[in-house]
Amino acid sequence: GENVEQHPSTLSVQEGDSAVIKCTYSDSASNYFPWYKQELGKRPQLIIDIRSNVGEKKDQRIAVTLNKTAKHFSLHITETQPEDSAVYFCAVLDFGNEKLTFGTGTRLTIIP
Amino acid sequence: DTEVTQTPKHLVMGMTNKKSLKCEQHMGHRAMYWYKQKAKKPPELMFVYSYEKLSINESVPSRFSPECPNSSLLNLHLHALQPEDSALYLCASSFYESLNADEQFFGPGTRLTVL
């Protein structure tokens, strides 16, 4: 099955600076890569996703880049704000079925 | 309605009890999922239903029994659970078109404690 590694496990960033979280995966056939944000005690919520036919996608302060050759993808958050503090999970969807495998998570703390 | 709902929010049960978790969506999604999430860990897939049929069972112990009565409802029946089964149980749904992946929407979860 798919193996997803996520780094770093914790990240502290000064408010206004950028944050980058990286994930690698093992199955080269995987074609869908979402990122979820989970605040304490709440449900995971999709913040951005990317498909394998696209190299980069941006939505306001959030961007995701995908390198299919190297099998890694990254989340970039610019101009960070206190409300960005949460746990972020990358995920990879197995090709041909609906099995979503999550990375181990990154606890992001924005320092005011 | 653009949400997945789950009941109850919290559940405390003994190891000999039988209880059920419920999940509902009215977005016309044809795939529904059960995930288990332990504290400080990612969600782990348990079951997937596609078009009301069980399509994935991630080797989950038989004390967990899923049921999909119709395309909007998903249940998880619990029996003879162990304390280590205490976790947040998340339901999710998606449109599901084969080979055309799309967003999974998560419910708020049921926090289960097994005594």
Side-chain angles (χ1 to χ4, degrees):
Chain A
E2 183 66 84
N3 182 35
V4 182
E5 294 190 2
Q6 182 172 346
H7 298 282
S9 57
T10 61
L11 180 60
S12 294
V13 173
Q14 206 71 36
E15 182 179 353
D17 288 349
S18 297
V20 180
I21 303 170
K22 299 181 180 180
C23 286
T24 60
Y25 60 98
S26 58
D27 187 351
S28 57
S30 296
N31 61 1
Y32 178 65
F33 308 90
W35 284 90
Y36 284 86
K37 174 183 180 182
Q38 188 174 27
E39 297 178 60
L40 189 63
K42 299 202 173 175
R43 74 188 80 189
Q45 290 201 298
L46 183 79
I47 55 171
I48 197 166
D49 57 9
I50 192 166
R51 299 177 194 277
S52 58
N53 57 349
V54 175
E56 183 174 358
K57 184 177 177 180
K58 192 173 181 181
D59 182 4
Q60 300 184 336
R61 298 186 297 108
I62 295 173
V64 56
T65 57
L66 172 65
N67 183 327
K68 281 222 72 178
T69 303
K71 291 187 283 187
H72 67 70
F73 58 111
S74 299
L75 177 71
H76 304 254
I77 306 175
T78 59
E79 301 172 15
T80 53
Q81 300 169 3
E83 53 265 36
D84 295 329
S85 294
V87 177
Y88 291 80
F89 292 103
C90 65
V92 178
L93 193 75
D94 278 6
F95 179 76
N97 65 47
E98 292 295 292
K99 181 178 177 181
L100 200 57
T101 301
F102 285 80
T104 48
T106 298
R107 180 171 298 279
L108 175 63
T109 303
I110 306 302
I111 305 165
Chain B
D1 190 348
T2 58
E3 273 203 335
V4 177
T5 59
Q6 289 185 244
T7 55
K9 290 184 179 178
H10 302 276
L11 179 61
V12 179
M13 59 186 291
M15 290 189 285
T16 58
N17 292 157
K18 284 185 180 181
K19 296 287 184 182
S20 296
L21 310 185
K22 296 185 183 301
C23 175
E24 192 167 358
Q25 58 85 18
H26 295 287
M27 295 179 280
H29 290 174
R30 302 314 300 264
M32 297 186 76
Y33 315 78
W34 281 114
Y35 288 86
K36 174 182 178 179
Q37 187 177 26
K38 302 281 273 185
K40 298 185 179 182
K41 296 291 186 182
E44 289 182 12
L45 184 67
M46 300 174 71
F47 303 104
V48 180
Y49 274 83
S50 313
Y51 291 88
E52 301 162 47
K53 291 193 182 333
L54 183 65
S55 57
I56 296 178
N57 177 343
E58 288 289 291
S59 303
V60 179
S62 60
R63 57 185 184 269
F64 295 91
S65 176
E67 179 196 17
C68 190
N70 59 56
S71 60
S72 299
L73 294 175
L74 185 66
N75 298 321
L76 186 63
H77 303 296
L78 314 173
H79 174 53
L81 293 194
Q82 304 297 309
E84 58 265 28
D85 296 323
S86 299
L88 180 68
Y89 287 84
L90 292 161
C91 174
S93 68
S94 69
F95 277 109
Y96 183 64
E97 292 179 62
S98 184
L99 304 183
N100 187 21
D102 67 315
E103 177 181 357
Q104 292 186 18
F105 292 78
F106 282 83
T110 293
R111 188 158 298 282
L112 174 67
T113 303
V114 182
L115 301 177

